[in-house]
Amino acid sequence: MAVSTFLFAVLAPFSAAEAGTVTAVAVDDRQIIIRFDDVVEKASSFTLAGPNRIAVDVSGATPGAGQGGSGFVSSVRQARFNENTARIVFDLAEPAIVSGGSFASDGRSLTLTLQPVANERFSAAAVSGRKSYLPPEAHRAAPPRSRYNITVPLDAPKSGLPRPKIYGPKGRPLVVIDAGHGGHDPGAISPHGGKREKDVTLAIARAIRDELIAAGRVRVALTREDDRFLVLRERTAIARNLGADLFVSVHADSAGSPDATGATIYTLSEVASDKEAAAYAARENKADIINGVNLGKENSDIASILVDLAQRESMNASANFAKLMKREASREIRFRPDFLKNAGFAVLKSPDMPSILLEVGYLTNADDTNRLVSGEGQRQIATGMRKAIDIHFAQRTASR
Ligand code: ZN
């Protein structure tokens, strides 16, 4: 895959939104009540295991006053998650999930109901995604008009980020497919006919795009539709700018042995992530913003909590998608026996959308190469990908 350069972009939303401030967080036996001094835009909650926590993101709110825990909640923390969002974290003394929630009719408070559960149920909740809550329309803050500034310390593009075309009907989830390498970076080169990874990945990305458009259930965009160079961080930055719901980076492997064959999926591992989260926090203190997490106003403990939370959530979702992909696409894509790997690739570092890197096969293997460069082989990969993506979004819809 030849991912050797480690370059990154820092995304900085710069619109100061009008926002309500959290004026109270009250926890009693089975209830959490969060109060605001003004209307807010929306809220969502999700669950994180090990240590067990419930996190509540409130858009259109800034963090403010709170209180200690009680009942199932041992402590309460608040921080600014990004320019427009307050995150409130409830550390749990016992496993409990949010079984329901709603805003008051004036939109000035959010009440969540807690339900104690067994550990297995809690673990299931921890990978099930977010629950969302909307204030009544008449008492709801408008979303901010955000503007994004991109800083790329190395290999800065001459003009801003490319904004690729989005295919498909409005309102559908957006899948961004990233064709690895491009331009002056060919990636791996096959000893079988000199095929270049950058061309193979682009052809497969286009095949996946066409398959998804034909199925019509998601929107799709490619980070590049031609032979151009993008630094790694630009690839996820493009997807984030577009508000992608899923990010798939397509690569082709190479190995010393011509016998190595089959597809591999990479996601971030928890271990790598924890270490990387700490390294990120240390390295990025000057920039104040890590992957959209604003650290400027918070102490380093909170900062590392935020990065940890942000990454853990999408790691669970990413690992789930990787497993689902193996299950749903195994007829079309031949996976390696050890198909799932964990690593800290820059291209996967996007905390707010599930992201995988798919190595479709080996350019150093003759059979793999023949399949990867053929129209039929590319369509098969696209079909497998489409099946996995369909199930992924169907499951997400069902869990809401
Ligand atoms: Zn590659």
Side-chain angles (χ1 to χ4, degrees), residues 1-3 180-181 187-188 197 201 250-253 359:
M1 84 174 67
V3 179
H181 309 278
E197 185 183 353
T201 59
V250 178
H251 285 253
D253 243 329
E359 295 274 6

Side-chain angles (χ1 to χ4, degrees), residues 93-174:
E94 296 165 53
I97 59 170
V98 177
S99 60
S102 60
F103 276 91
S105 56
D106 64 0
R108 303 297 178 93
S109 67
L110 170 67
T111 301
L112 301 174
T113 308
L114 296 179
Q115 182 192 340
V117 292
N119 276 317
E120 303 80 54
R121 177 98 188 270
F122 186 87
S123 303
V127 294
S128 70
R130 288 173 188 257
K131 288 191 165 122
S132 298
Y133 318 96
L134 274 179
E137 203 166 351
H139 301 279
R140 190 186 301 167
R145 293 168 57 85
S146 54
R147 193 159 64 79
Y148 288 90
N149 268 23
I150 307 301
T151 311
V152 182
L154 297 167
D155 274 357
K158 290 274 187 293
S159 54
L161 275 184
R163 207 176 162 86
K165 179 173 165 57
I166 297 176
Y167 302 87
K170 275 204 168 60
R172 301 287 160 88
L174 175 63

Side-chain angles (χ1 to χ4, degrees), residues 47-113:
T47 305
L48 293 133
N52 295 347
R53 289 155 290 171
I54 290 169
V56 178
D57 283 348
V58 186
S59 303
T62 50
Q67 70 152 53
S70 87
F72 303 119
V73 175
S74 56
S75 60
V76 181
R77 293 165 288 151
Q78 290 186 50
R80 186 187 294 268
F81 179 66
N82 65 34
E83 203 62 34
N84 187 48
T85 305
R87 173 165 286 182
I88 309 167
V89 177
F90 300 88
D91 295 305
L92 297 173
E94 296 165 53
I97 59 170
V98 177
S99 60
S102 60
F103 276 91
S105 56
D106 64 0
R108 303 297 178 93
S109 67
L110 170 67
T111 301
L112 301 174
T113 308

Side-chain angles (χ1 to χ4, degrees), residues 61-380:
T62 50
Q67 70 152 53
S70 87
F72 303 119
V73 175
S74 56
S75 60
V76 181
R77 293 165 288 151
Q78 290 186 50
R80 186 187 294 268
F81 179 66
N82 65 34
E83 203 62 34
N84 187 48
T85 305
R87 173 165 286 182
I88 309 167
V89 177
F90 300 88
D91 295 305
L92 297 173
E94 296 165 53
I97 59 170
V98 177
S99 60
S102 60
F103 276 91
S105 56
D106 64 0
R108 303 297 178 93
S109 67
L110 170 67
T111 301
L112 301 174
T113 308
L114 296 179
Q115 182 192 340
V117 292
N119 276 317
E120 303 80 54
R121 177 98 188 270
F122 186 87
S123 303
V127 294
S128 70
R130 288 173 188 257
K131 288 191 165 122
S132 298
Y133 318 96
L134 274 179
E137 203 166 351
H139 301 279
R140 190 186 301 167
R145 293 168 57 85
S146 54
R147 193 159 64 79
Y148 288 90
N149 268 23
I150 307 301
T151 311
V152 182
L154 297 167
D155 274 357
K158 290 274 187 293
S159 54
L161 275 184
R163 207 176 162 86
K165 179 173 165 57
I166 297 176
Y167 302 87
K170 275 204 168 60
R172 301 287 160 88
L174 175 63
V175 179
V176 170
I177 308 291
D178 171 50
H181 309 278
H184 65 71
D185 168 23
I189 296 177
S190 175
H192 308 284
K195 300 292 182 191
R196 298 174 302 184
E197 185 183 353
K198 68 171 184 176
D199 302 320
V200 172
T201 59
L202 182 57
I204 291 170
R206 285 174 173 154
I208 295 170
R209 174 197 66 193
D210 295 346
E211 174 78 22
L212 292 175
I213 292 171
R217 283 183 284 276
V218 296
R219 292 177 301 149
V220 57
L222 305 190
T223 52
R224 67 180 180 94
E225 300 210 39
D226 53 20
D227 183 21
R228 73 173 68 193
F229 177 73
L230 294 167
V231 301
L232 296 178
R233 285 280 154 194
E234 285 177 302
R235 298 169 183 271
T236 41
I238 288 169
R240 291 166 56 95
N241 257 0
L242 296 176
D245 298 288
L246 180 69
F247 178 81
V248 177
S249 185
V250 178
H251 285 253
D253 243 329
S254 59
S257 161
D259 298 332
T261 171
T264 312
I265 304 174
Y266 288 86
T267 65
L268 284 171
S269 75
E270 302 229 343
V271 175
S273 171
D274 288 347
K275 216 167 64 188
E276 301 233 343
Y280 258 49
R283 188 169 61 230
E284 290 303 304
N285 268 343
K286 274 178 258 159
D288 286 347
I289 287 174
I290 294 173
N291 284 356
V293 180
N294 190 335
L295 305 176
K297 298 179 182 69
E298 317 303 338
N299 66 37
S300 60
D301 274 357
I302 297 281
S304 64
I305 290 163
L306 290 174
V307 173
D308 166 62
L309 276 173
Q311 295 198 333
R312 204 174 284 265
E313 190 192 4
S314 76
M315 274 185 323
N316 286 338
S318 300
N320 284 349
F321 179 74
K323 288 174 195 148
L324 185 152
M325 168 116 196
K326 166 72 166 22
R327 199 180 69 217
E328 298 299 325
S330 275
R331 273 182 53 193
E332 290 81 13
I333 301 173
R334 285 195 300 120
F335 288 95
R336 291 168 56 86
D338 56 340
F339 75 97
L340 185 54
K341 301 215 166 149
N342 300 311
F345 293 112
V347 76
L348 301 181
K349 276 229 178 292
S350 196
D352 48 10
M353 63 189 163
S355 308
I356 64 160
L357 188 152
L358 172 66
E359 295 274 6
V360 287
Y362 283 83
L363 289 177
T364 40
N365 177 272
D367 288 346
D368 276 14
T369 301
N370 288 337
R371 202 173 57 254
L372 296 178
V373 302
S374 76
E376 178 53 29
Q378 292 164 358
R379 273 191 298 279
Q380 275 194 355

